[in-house]
Amino acid sequence: GVRAGRTAAEFAVKEPLVEADPIQIKEKKDYLDKFMSRTPSTDGGPRAIRQAIQKLSMDKFGVLKTEEGLLEGLEELDSLRKIADEKLYASDPRELRLACEADFMFDCQEMHAKAALLRTETRGVHNRLDYPYMDNDIWIKDIRIKKENGDMKLFTAPTRRGHVKIEKGRIPIKGLQKN
């Protein structure tokens, strides 16, 4: 802690100041102003929106997932996002923080759900009831997400395994198998 702080301070003193980009500053100010300028409403409160996202996440994107539940959850998330896009407000700095967090939670939950839909197997804490096995023939890869032309794009990439030997085939997961 102390050593890292001292080293960071020494580095910062030697570096030239970075000029702030006025366009980025305006974009961020406009982003925050949209929440602060809205009229408070019963369905636009940041605490209520955050709680709705959290409940949806637990109900549809939680530990045990199915394609049907994930798709339903994405539809519900989109409906909730439409409400928030019009009504999410903040009337003080504390609510502004909550509003920003709620707004960011939409993207996080969408990424989580879409990645879970893409991975058609069970692995680690990702449990798909409709795919109750690890599929090492297909899924020894990572899911990557990037923003491309303003849209979320998911793709797979090889996993770096090092020298780990991985068993081939489909490996059933105990407790997820149908009787």
Side-chain angles (χ1 to χ4, degrees):
V2 172
R3 211 175 327 167
R6 200 174 287 131
T7 303
E10 290 168 3
F11 174 81
V13 167
K14 296 175 190 172
E15 291 298 306
L17 290 177
V18 176
E19 290 297 319
D21 180 351
I23 294 169
Q24 284 183 331
I25 292 171
K26 181 176 178 352
E27 287 172 354
K28 296 301 178 197
K29 184 179 181 312
D30 291 348
Y31 173 75
L32 298 174
D33 284 346
K34 82 177 173 186
F35 300 123
M36 296 297 290
S37 65
R38 290 183 181 149
T39 304
S41 63
T42 55
D43 53 350
R47 284 178 182 80
I49 301 261
R50 283 183 75 222
Q51 288 172 346
I53 296 168
Q54 289 169 335
K55 181 175 181 347
L56 174 64
S57 175
M58 292 302 297
D59 292 348
K60 300 295 182 174
F61 311 143
V63 176
L64 302 175
K65 304 169 190 67
T66 62
E67 179 177 7
E68 179 183 7
L70 290 164
L71 291 171
E72 286 173 5
L74 281 166
E75 282 182 27
E76 290 176 34
L77 187 68
D78 190 50
S79 296
L80 188 56
R81 188 188 300 243
K82 286 176 182 165
I83 293 168
D85 284 347
E86 292 180 18
K87 297 185 177 186
L88 181 59
Y89 71 87
S91 50
D92 61 43
R94 187 170 291 142
E95 281 191 339
L96 182 59
R97 176 186 59 83
L98 293 173
C100 290
E101 286 176 4
D103 197 41
F104 300 147
M105 287 170 70
F106 284 110
D107 289 336
C108 291
Q109 293 306 314
E110 183 182 356
M111 287 185 272
H112 173 105
K114 287 183 174 180
L117 270 172
L118 182 60
R119 185 173 289 278
T120 52
E121 67 156 1
T122 290
R123 184 172 299 270
V125 295
H126 170 73
N127 295 288
R128 286 285 300 263
L129 295 175
D130 43 355
Y131 295 96
Y133 49 81
M134 276 195 317
D135 193 339
N136 289 341
D137 292 338
I138 296 174
W139 277 106
I140 301 298
K141 51 188 156 186
D142 297 330
I143 295 175
R144 308 267 172 94
I145 304 170
K146 70 177 181 177
K147 190 174 186 177
E148 195 171 90
N149 299 322
D151 294 323
M152 186 183 304
K153 181 178 170 155
L154 284 81
F155 59 98
T156 60
T159 297
R160 287 177 264 154
R161 306 187 274 223
H163 301 287
V164 176
K165 184 171 172 42
I166 296 174
E167 184 179 343
K168 293 193 179 293
R170 286 185 173 179
I171 302 160
I173 305 298
K174 291 179 184 173
L176 293 182
Q177 295 292 320
K178 293 180 182 174
N179 295 330

